Amino acid sequence: MKIKPFLRWAGGKQNLVNELLKNSPKDANINTYFEPFVGAGTLFFANGFSKALISDINPQLINAYSHIKTDYNKVYELILEYNKNFNNNSEFYYKLRDKYNKERNNFDHIQAARFIFLIHTNYNGMYRVNKAGEYNVPIGKLKPCIPSFSDFNRISEKMKNTKIECFDYKEVIKFVGKNDFVYFDPPYPPLDWSNPQNQFTIQNFRKEDHEETALFADELDRMGCYVMISYPDIQFIKVLYSKWNIVTLDNFRSISCKKQRGKISELLIKNY
Ligand SMILES: C[S@@+](CC[C@H](N)C(=O)[O-])C[C@H]1O[C@@H](n2cnc3c(N)ncnc32)[C@H](O)[C@@H]1O
């Protein structure tokens, strides 16, 4: 049974989940599943691999995963309380955001609940911080769609055999081996390199980082891993992965920035 992520997340792949599953390797001997840019973990929650390592560079995101794994009932209780008091009230949102920022070096279940609730009620499930590391996303317009207690229970069960780590994606090299399956979903490159968006963390994912990701993917390929990578359909990426098997998906992502409007298709890049 496919499990839905407990977060909405900018760049999340919910609308592509069936294509991701269809394009995943079918080898019954796959050892461990790795998702080193996990975000909301769309593919991790949808697939049936029993052993996994999920990781991300965002420490508060990883704190949320860790507490959902070990004490989701305490996190859920707080989320329910926030939801009762929220009522699409912006004063509540901004007060909670202040508390979250004051406690940003804490990694307890209360921060996990604040993080999850803020992401569910903010603008487009975005996570963005300023130079001081303070989360600064404004309130959104939609009513929050919080998972139920039994959803959290299922999510926690799914993570029983899952290692959860906060580190740069390259650290997975210490854990991967032959016959593991690694899915990469890095922050997408901007269509205009002169205007990079600091969308996910305080660090930008620059052009050089995408080039380095491609070299890293080659290394995993040489080690005998199955590798699948998500990207938008842009020339820079097609050149970077010209030796790989590239599948163009029919799904389109909306783009709305001042210079370019329209839609762009998605790529799945595979070594199998
Ligand atoms: C496009 S999102 C992943 C979305 C995910 N596939 C989903 O469906 O929700 C990219 C993620 O990469 C993470 N990230 C950015 N730079 C990273 C790095 N150097 N190492 C590991 N994770 C990183 C971000 O925090 C973000 O969660």
Side-chain angles (χ1 to χ4, degrees), residues 142-174:
L142 297 180
K143 255 183 101 130
C145 184
I146 310 284
S148 67
F149 187 77
S150 56
D151 292 333
F152 276 116
N153 175 274
R154 235 176 287 135
I155 288 165
S156 170
E157 277 294 308
K158 164 85 185 168
M159 291 196 278
K160 256 194 174 151
N161 285 324
T162 302
K163 278 201 175 128
I164 303 168
E165 300 282 353
C166 181
F167 51 45
D168 181 79
Y169 73 96
K170 290 194 283 307
E171 298 282 317
V172 295
I173 201 78
K174 296 179 190 151

Side-chain angles (χ1 to χ4, degrees), residues 55-167:
S55 52
D56 199 283
I57 207 161
N58 182 331
Q60 288 293 347
L61 170 69
I62 291 304
N63 181 55
Y65 273 97
S66 304
H67 284 284
I68 295 296
K69 177 175 173 173
T70 55
D71 44 10
Y72 68 93
N73 29 8
K74 285 205 270 176
V75 178
Y76 187 68
E77 223 170 85
L78 284 172
I79 293 177
L80 277 194
E81 193 186 308
Y82 298 153
N83 205 25
K84 208 167 83 196
N85 298 327
F86 172 58
N87 243 334
N88 283 63
N89 171 336
S90 63
E91 199 185 325
F92 180 88
Y93 176 87
Y94 289 106
K95 274 195 180 150
L96 191 69
R97 191 177 83 169
D98 283 348
K99 275 192 203 141
Y100 170 83
N101 279 327
K102 281 201 186 99
E103 301 283 326
R104 66 184 180 279
N105 296 321
N106 265 352
F107 295 96
D108 56 14
H109 75 279
I110 306 172
Q111 267 305 84
R114 288 182 187 131
F115 176 87
I116 295 169
F117 194 74
L118 287 170
I119 301 293
H120 272 286
T121 49
N122 78 4
Y123 181 73
N124 278 352
M126 233 161 104
Y127 192 82
R128 187 189 57 202
V129 293
N130 62 19
K131 286 211 169 95
E134 291 160 340
Y135 162 81
N136 62 5
V137 180
I139 189 170
K141 288 204 177 105
L142 297 180
K143 255 183 101 130
C145 184
I146 310 284
S148 67
F149 187 77
S150 56
D151 292 333
F152 276 116
N153 175 274
R154 235 176 287 135
I155 288 165
S156 170
E157 277 294 308
K158 164 85 185 168
M159 291 196 278
K160 256 194 174 151
N161 285 324
T162 302
K163 278 201 175 128
I164 303 168
E165 300 282 353
C166 181
F167 51 45

Side-chain angles (χ1 to χ4, degrees), residues 5 7-14 20 35-43 55-58 61 65 127 167-170 183-188 199-201 203-205 209 230:
L7 285 171
R8 58 208 272 266
W9 199 247
K13 294 292 175 292
Q14 267 303 114
L20 294 178
E35 194 169 335
F37 296 91
V38 74
T42 305
L43 183 56
S55 52
D56 199 283
I57 207 161
N58 182 331
L61 170 69
Y65 273 97
Y127 192 82
F167 51 45
D168 181 79
Y169 73 96
K170 290 194 283 307
Y183 170 55
F184 280 172
D185 185 15
Y188 276 10
Q199 230 196 345
F200 293 107
T201 60
Q203 298 123 321
N204 278 327
F205 213 77
D209 297 313
S230 277

